[in-house]
PDB file of all heavy atoms in Angstrom:
ATOM      1  N   ALA Z 254      74.333 -18.316  60.071  1.00 80.00           N
ATOM      2  CA  ALA Z 254      75.384 -17.469  59.501  1.00 80.00           C
ATOM      3  C   ALA Z 254      76.738 -18.163  59.549  1.00 80.00           C
ATOM      4  O   ALA Z 254      77.512 -18.133  58.584  1.00 80.00           O
ATOM      5  CB  ALA Z 254      75.438 -16.137  60.242  1.00 80.00           C
ATOM      6  N   VAL Z 255      77.025 -18.803  60.674  1.00 83.00           N
ATOM      7  CA  VAL Z 255      78.285 -19.543  60.799  1.00 83.00           C
ATOM      8  C   VAL Z 255      78.326 -20.693  59.803  1.00 83.00           C
ATOM      9  O   VAL Z 255      79.337 -20.941  59.137  1.00 83.00           O
ATOM     10  CB  VAL Z 255      78.457 -20.065  62.235  1.00 83.00           C
ATOM     11  CG1 VAL Z 255      79.658 -21.004  62.322  1.00 83.00           C
ATOM     12  CG2 VAL Z 255      78.622 -18.900  63.202  1.00 83.00           C
ATOM     13  N   LEU Z 256      77.210 -21.383  59.674  1.00 78.00           N
ATOM     14  CA  LEU Z 256      77.154 -22.548  58.797  1.00 78.00           C
ATOM     15  C   LEU Z 256      77.243 -22.162  57.326  1.00 78.00           C
ATOM     16  O   LEU Z 256      78.028 -22.736  56.565  1.00 78.00           O
ATOM     17  CB  LEU Z 256      75.853 -23.320  59.059  1.00 78.00           C
ATOM     18  CG  LEU Z 256      75.652 -24.619  58.270  1.00 78.00           C
ATOM     19  CD1 LEU Z 256      76.688 -25.648  58.685  1.00 78.00           C
ATOM     20  CD2 LEU Z 256      74.244 -25.150  58.485  1.00 78.00           C
ATOM     21  N   LEU Z 257      76.449 -21.172  56.927  1.00 78.00           N
ATOM     22  CA  LEU Z 257      76.352 -20.808  55.513  1.00 78.00           C
ATOM     23  C   LEU Z 257      77.488 -19.906  55.046  1.00 78.00           C
ATOM     24  O   LEU Z 257      77.971 -20.029  53.918  1.00 78.00           O
ATOM     25  CB  LEU Z 257      75.016 -20.124  55.231  1.00 78.00           C
ATOM     26  CG  LEU Z 257      73.759 -20.957  55.487  1.00 78.00           C
ATOM     27  CD1 LEU Z 257      72.515 -20.114  55.277  1.00 78.00           C
ATOM     28  CD2 LEU Z 257      73.734 -22.170  54.571  1.00 78.00           C
ATOM     29  N   VAL Z 258      77.886 -18.973  55.920  1.00 80.00           N
ATOM     30  CA  VAL Z 258      78.902 -17.994  55.524  1.00 80.00           C
ATOM     31  C   VAL Z 258      80.287 -18.391  56.030  1.00 80.00           C
ATOM     32  O   VAL Z 258      81.254 -18.467  55.255  1.00 80.00           O
ATOM     33  CB  VAL Z 258      78.539 -16.589  56.033  1.00 80.00           C
ATOM     34  CG1 VAL Z 258      79.613 -15.578  55.609  1.00 80.00           C
ATOM     35  CG2 VAL Z 258      77.181 -16.163  55.516  1.00 80.00           C
ATOM     36  N   GLY Z 259      80.382 -18.652  57.322  1.00 82.00           N
ATOM     37  CA  GLY Z 259      81.685 -18.939  57.917  1.00 82.00           C
ATOM     38  C   GLY Z 259      82.336 -20.198  57.376  1.00 82.00           C
ATOM     39  O   GLY Z 259      83.472 -20.171  56.890  1.00 82.00           O
ATOM     40  N   MET Z 260      81.616 -21.314  57.434  1.00 80.00           N
ATOM     41  CA  MET Z 260      82.201 -22.578  56.983  1.00 80.00           C
ATOM     42  C   MET Z 260      82.459 -22.591  55.483  1.00 80.00           C
ATOM     43  O   MET Z 260      83.471 -23.100  55.013  1.00 80.00           O
ATOM     44  CB  MET Z 260      81.284 -23.734  57.376  1.00 80.00           C
ATOM     45  CG  MET Z 260      81.180 -23.956  58.880  1.00 80.00           C
ATOM     46  SD  MET Z 260      80.171 -25.393  59.304  1.00 80.00           S
ATOM     47  CE  MET Z 260      81.139 -26.717  58.558  1.00 80.00           C
ATOM     48  N   THR Z 261      81.535 -22.005  54.723  1.00 78.00           N
ATOM     49  CA  THR Z 261      81.741 -21.925  53.277  1.00 78.00           C
ATOM     50  C   THR Z 261      82.943 -21.045  52.947  1.00 78.00           C
ATOM     51  O   THR Z 261      83.745 -21.351  52.057  1.00 78.00           O
ATOM     52  CB  THR Z 261      80.482 -21.375  52.590  1.00 78.00           C
ATOM     53  OG1 THR Z 261      79.375 -22.219  52.883  1.00 78.00           O
ATOM     54  CG2 THR Z 261      80.675 -21.310  51.086  1.00 78.00           C
ATOM     55  N   GLY Z 262      83.063 -19.917  53.670  1.00 81.00           N
ATOM     56  CA  GLY Z 262      84.202 -19.033  53.444  1.00 81.00           C
ATOM     57  C   GLY Z 262      85.526 -19.706  53.759  1.00 81.00           C
ATOM     58  O   GLY Z 262      86.505 -19.561  53.024  1.00 81.00           O
ATOM     59  N   MET Z 263      85.562 -20.452  54.854  1.00 83.00           N
ATOM     60  CA  MET Z 263      86.784 -21.169  55.214  1.00 83.00           C
ATOM     61  C   MET Z 263      87.128 -22.236  54.189  1.00 83.00           C
ATOM     62  O   MET Z 263      88.299 -22.432  53.839  1.00 83.00           O
ATOM     63  CB  MET Z 263      86.611 -21.802  56.598  1.00 83.00           C
ATOM     64  CG  MET Z 263      86.539 -20.803  57.746  1.00 83.00           C
ATOM     65  SD  MET Z 263      86.174 -21.592  59.334  1.00 83.00           S
ATOM     66  CE  MET Z 263      87.589 -22.688  59.482  1.00 83.00           C
ATOM     67  N   ALA Z 264      86.098 -22.914  53.677  1.00 80.00           N
ATOM     68  CA  ALA Z 264      86.339 -23.981  52.714  1.00 80.00           C
ATOM     69  C   ALA Z 264      86.870 -23.447  51.386  1.00 80.00           C
ATOM     70  O   ALA Z 264      87.647 -24.117  50.703  1.00 80.00           O
ATOM     71  CB  ALA Z 264      85.047 -24.767  52.482  1.00 80.00           C
ATOM     72  N   HIS Z 265      86.466 -22.213  51.020  1.00 82.00           N
ATOM     73  CA  HIS Z 265      86.834 -21.681  49.714  1.00 82.00           C
ATOM     74  C   HIS Z 265      87.828 -20.521  49.802  1.00 82.00           C
ATOM     75  O   HIS Z 265      88.044 -19.831  48.805  1.00 82.00           O
ATOM     76  CB  HIS Z 265      85.575 -21.207  48.973  1.00 82.00           C
ATOM     77  CG  HIS Z 265      84.657 -22.339  48.602  1.00 82.00           C
ATOM     78  ND1 HIS Z 265      84.788 -23.045  47.426  1.00 82.00           N
ATOM     79  CD2 HIS Z 265      83.619 -22.890  49.262  1.00 82.00           C
ATOM     80  CE1 HIS Z 265      83.848 -23.979  47.374  1.00 82.00           C
ATOM     81  NE2 HIS Z 265      83.132 -23.904  48.477  1.00 82.00           N
TER      82      HIS Z 265
END
Side-chain angles (χ1 to χ4, degrees):
V255 172
L256 183 66
L257 298 175
V258 180
M260 293 184 63
T261 301
M263 291 174 61
H265 293 272

